[in-house]
Amino acid sequence: MRFRPCIDIHNGKVKQIVGGSLTDRGNQAEENFVSEQDSTYYARLYQERGLKGGHIIQLNSPDSEYYAKTKAQALAALRSYPQGLQAGGGITPQNAEEYLDAGASHVIVTSYVFRDGEVDWERLEQLCSLVGRERLVLDLSCRKRKEAYYIVTDRWQKFTNVQLVKETIQKLESYCDELLVHAVDVEGKASGIETELVRLLERSCRIPITYAGGVGSLEDLGRLKEAGKGRVDVTIGSALDLFGGPLGFEEVLNYITL
């Protein structure tokens, strides 16, 4: 299990939010933390600590009045730590190369490869061909409906018809280098991990995968490590002291490297 750092950007600011509260209407989200530092501060910190494979997530719609500021923060972080971070949020074939040219090691995509609630395999093949499988991360963030997990898109607001099961995961992973999965129902709540989801990811994935959502303590990290058998990487946001939480950044790094 590796620690993957994060930089979430909303309305031009580095923030931590409650994932399920995000809405495009009025650019609103329930905020856990709004940083006084810009994105480059975090990018340089991660670079100094030798942490790679972290992700920058732009949480505004391209139609938002704040999108330009959010994008500027994302590009600044990428330029501060070339090849150290991945970039996601509104990625399409039209703009993917801009982020790669700015220094992203990978681009992270969800919404573009779904249409009418289903995987658009033609779009996925087009994107894979354009940027290369080795530079593509698919974000399969999900929410639970009844007894099953379903992939959600458009800043986690829209349910697709695609259930997150082993067969789907293994078909999608043939198009990308890594997978990223936010457990949206617990994202930003530091209330404990979705153990069932972590077990599903461990059973299904054959490529690197990062889980996000609900980690609030070292005990949660222990549960994740056990459920994921050390194969599922982790990112932590709101619970970290870097973002106003109680969990020490250095404490987490020391725990994971034990």
Side-chain angles (χ1 to χ4, degrees), residues 133 166-179 200-209 231:
R133 179 178 182 266
K166 182 175 181 178
E167 293 75 18
T168 302
I169 291 170
Q170 294 194 344
K171 187 172 182 180
L172 287 168
E173 71 181 10
S174 65
Y175 290 89
C176 62
D177 194 46
E178 296 185 11
L179 296 173
L200 169 64
L201 300 178
E202 187 281 323
R203 290 196 306 269
S204 305
C205 294
R206 299 166 296 189
I207 62 175
I209 186 163
R231 297 182 54 245

Side-chain angles (χ1 to χ4, degrees), residues 180-241:
L180 170 65
V181 177
H182 292 83
V184 177
D185 290 328
V186 295
E187 174 71 17
K189 296 182 179 179
S191 57
I193 66 167
E194 290 269 12
T195 306
E196 179 186 353
L197 176 58
V198 175
R199 288 179 178 143
L200 169 64
L201 300 178
E202 187 281 323
R203 290 196 306 269
S204 305
C205 294
R206 299 166 296 189
I207 62 175
I209 186 163
T210 300
Y211 167 90
V215 175
S217 65
L218 294 183
E219 289 75 19
D220 286 331
L221 280 177
R223 294 185 191 99
L224 195 152
K225 187 173 183 179
E226 180 180 1
K229 298 182 181 179
R231 297 182 54 245
V232 179
D233 294 341
V234 63
T235 189
I236 306 172
S238 297
L240 274 188
D241 58 357

